[in-house]
Amino acid sequence: MDECSEEFIPAELADVTDRPFEPYVHDQQNAEVLALVLDSAHATSTLRWNVVDDIRREGADAGLDPEGPEIRELVLAMAYGLRLSARGEPSGCALGPLSGSGANAYPPAVPDVDDEVVSLWRDLAEKVQHPGAKARLNDLLFLRRDGNPYIRATTAIDAYLADVDVTAEADLTQAQGLVRAWDLTRSVGDLAREAKVRSAMLSAAENTMKGESKWPGVVLPLIGALSTKPKESKKASRGGPAGAGDDARIDALLEEAWRAYEEGWLRSELADYLRRRAQTPDETQAANRREAQAYIDEALSRPGLVRLSILESAVRVARDYGLTDLVERATALMQAIPKADLGLVVMSTSVSIPPDYIERWLAPFTNYSDWRFGLEYFLSTDCPSGDLATLKSQTEQIAKTTGFLLAISSMKLNADGLPRWTSTPDDGGYADRLSETANHYAMNRGRLLATGLVRMAERYGVPSESELMVTLSRRGAADSTIAASVARAFIHFWNEDYEACVHVAAARFESVARLLLRELDEGIYRTQAADTPGGYPGLYALLKKLDELALDESWAYFLRWLLAAPEGPNLRNEIAHGFVTRIGPGYAALILRALTLLSTVVAPQPQEWAEEKDGIHPLVTSIADPAAPRSREDLLKLLGKPVPVAAVWPARPGVVGRLARGGATATRVAAVALAALSRRLEGGG
């Protein structure tokens, strides 16, 4: 079998895959022996998840084939997993396959189990004595709806209770069994048993909190079930009245857990349980306040970047609950963290490209007799972040090789060290990793563009504003105001005033985007509504609209990434908020390329070009009438391919080059994620 096509084989089946599958055929006469095997396996197993191995051993001791269908079905019956509810879901515990779904479920979904196997479960349920085996078999039969559901459920409940010593510290398996028993009581409306299970859960949780581990993974599910209001007797179908439980003991348990678990995420879960038990709106709001304050308290005990991350969570929680004072408090604490305390480090990766490739690519900036040819070459360069499909493909390849890193959330900071954007688990960090891949290409190419522009000025001198304006007008920017602004941005660059360059370019870029959409007759202006004044939408919305209409997807992604995406440099918003005070030539060159891409589209394009002579790039010889109206279709086509013949970026050719580029990108992404993980581990979070 080809290595890439191998399938995962669960450990419980690994020993039986070398022989043909033999369907199970039930023989009632074997039930007694198989019941003894199950009882012995449960009695001798020190850890519940090892019971499947003990089944094979006990089966062999009883003279049964450890690889035969009888033992296989016993193993599968005990291999179903109990899964506690995740945070945010109603408390409970479900019994079902360990992994997969449908035909790929392991073990098979209970409704899909063969009737012959169900007959085995039925006979074993009557014969086994160990409460662990009895609970599992009757629970499976309840899910299968085999026999009387109430009798199946209550038999399983009683067995789950008998399998737990509530006077001792509980482990995860016992906590799962108790919560599952509680879940079953509510499924069948047995109030008397619900009260009995609640009492057992309370004792188990109290004794666990008295132990050394105080393991939250055991205690919190028990507290969650205890914090859920008991079933109303009028809604229950069977049993006597359910006791409300010892409210004072539950409250004391909650407070003890609050003191023991200092991490904000654990206290968030406890706050959920406090809200469940709240009797008044004031009690609910008090729980909200405690949750937000818990993050602030934890942050104060953590260093640098970990403190910043926790305070960001505090702001989010406090804002969700309308706690303005705590929002302000957490924000003030974030602002007070010195950037030097954040532990930020510069990480670099490299890929070797022979110098001649770089120099050949830079040559057209200065090879010709006039600077206008060099500027023309600048305007013909391709998308700096590269082809979007290639970016996505590389990001997906990185995810395959460093998949666990994608689960690590990553935070983008503003220039003053405050959090701007944090990746969420919803996309598995994909947007952030795609941005990192784009950044790898764009920043290197931004340096190349900057080098080319600098060499132009060194050879030809800095052109005058009027000369630049005329040249840019010939390239499409026929609006004199726009052409003059673009010219000034270039002059600021050549004067090494990169801050002024990006301020001028970013502001003008937004106006160019508006002009294009207005020419396309898109209704983008928002009229006044109530107290909200009229105006145009923000840059992100403008770029999204251009992308939806026709703008080449690779350029659309680059423009959003550079100027308006929170996971990217976000330069337009950083500039608007006064964060950009020190910026290098690479970023300045990228924003000039972004501006010139659209500014050369806002007016009619050249109709004719001079023929190339002696290897010299052509200059415009005739210009379309700026006043001539353009059809919507023509403009959409132009946006779809804004650079008809692009200058290819320098790269090592062939397989070696592709591997080197991919390896460097993967290393960079992995390094960023590992640094985030390292900071979390150092901070204890």
Side-chain angles (χ1 to χ4, degrees), residues 361 365 377-383 449 555 593 643 646-647 649:
W361 187 86
F365 280 100
Y377 182 68
F378 176 88
L379 299 176
S380 71
T381 54
D382 205 356
C383 179
L449 291 171
W555 278 105
R593 186 65 191 97
V643 183
W649 295 105

Side-chain angles (χ1 to χ4, degrees), residues 246-540:
D246 191 333
D247 285 341
R249 288 172 64 193
I250 296 173
D251 290 340
L253 180 64
L254 272 165
E255 292 304 319
E256 185 179 1
W258 190 277
R259 291 190 296 272
Y261 308 142
E262 297 179 351
E263 293 90 341
W265 66 277
L266 291 174
R267 287 185 170 178
S268 275
E269 188 165 346
L270 288 169
D272 287 342
Y273 304 152
L274 288 171
R275 283 186 284 268
R276 291 184 191 180
R277 294 183 57 74
Q279 301 295 316
T280 66
D282 287 344
E283 290 181 357
T284 299
Q285 188 67 349
N288 297 341
R289 179 169 287 275
R290 289 186 72 177
E291 179 181 358
Q293 185 64 48
Y295 282 99
I296 296 176
D297 293 341
E298 183 191 4
L300 294 176
S301 66
R302 303 292 186 181
L305 193 57
V306 176
R307 176 182 296 186
L308 183 69
S309 179
I310 297 172
L311 286 171
E312 184 190 25
S313 297
V315 170
R316 172 180 50 78
V317 172
R319 185 181 292 124
D320 288 344
Y321 297 132
L323 303 171
T324 306
D325 60 322
L326 292 184
V327 171
E328 294 174 353
R329 169 66 173 153
T331 302
L333 288 171
M334 282 196 292
Q335 294 172 173
I337 301 174
K339 286 185 68 175
D341 291 351
L342 295 179
L344 301 177
V345 296
V346 176
M347 292 178 295
S348 63
T349 57
S350 63
V351 56
S352 175
I353 300 177
D356 59 298
Y357 287 97
I358 300 293
E359 291 303 322
R360 283 206 301 268
W361 187 86
L362 288 170
F365 280 100
T366 55
N367 268 4
Y368 304 113
S369 59
D370 192 278
W371 60 267
R372 293 169 181 81
F373 293 105
L375 183 61
E376 191 68 37
Y377 182 68
F378 176 88
L379 299 176
S380 71
T381 54
D382 205 356
C383 179
S385 58
D387 176 66
L388 182 59
T390 302
L391 286 181
K392 290 181 176 179
S393 176
Q394 290 189 354
T395 302
E396 289 162 4
Q397 288 298 317
I398 292 169
K400 292 178 182 178
T401 56
T402 59
F404 77 99
L405 296 175
L406 299 186
I408 303 170
S409 62
S410 127
M411 178 189 295
K412 302 290 184 183
L413 304 180
N414 286 328
D416 58 356
L418 293 175
R420 179 181 76 221
W421 181 82
T422 302
S423 64
T424 65
D426 297 339
D427 64 353
Y430 181 79
D432 181 58
R433 305 313 175 212
L434 184 64
S435 173
E436 287 292 339
T437 308
N439 183 76
H440 175 78
Y441 288 105
M443 292 312 301
N444 283 315
R445 291 164 179 176
R447 296 185 188 100
L448 287 173
L449 291 171
T451 300
L453 290 174
V454 168
R455 290 185 180 185
M456 279 177 57
E458 288 173 348
R459 177 173 183 195
Y460 306 111
V462 176
S464 68
E465 180 178 327
S466 60
E467 289 177 319
L468 276 168
M469 184 172 65
V470 170
T471 302
L472 290 167
S473 297
R474 287 175 174 160
R475 203 45 172 82
D479 184 296
S480 59
T481 303
I482 292 175
S485 294
V486 177
R488 284 193 294 272
F490 272 100
I491 290 173
H492 285 310
F493 177 92
W494 280 314
N495 289 334
E496 299 184 12
D497 189 352
Y498 304 123
E499 182 183 350
C501 170
V502 298
H503 275 74
V504 171
R508 182 52 68 190
F509 181 91
E510 193 162 343
S511 64
V512 168
R514 287 197 301 267
L515 285 172
L516 281 172
L517 287 168
R518 289 182 60 180
E519 185 177 356
L520 287 165
D521 201 24
E522 292 294 322
I524 56 173
Y525 188 83
R526 295 180 298 206
T527 58
Q528 179 173 341
D531 295 332
T532 304
Y536 288 102
L539 179 59
Y540 192 94

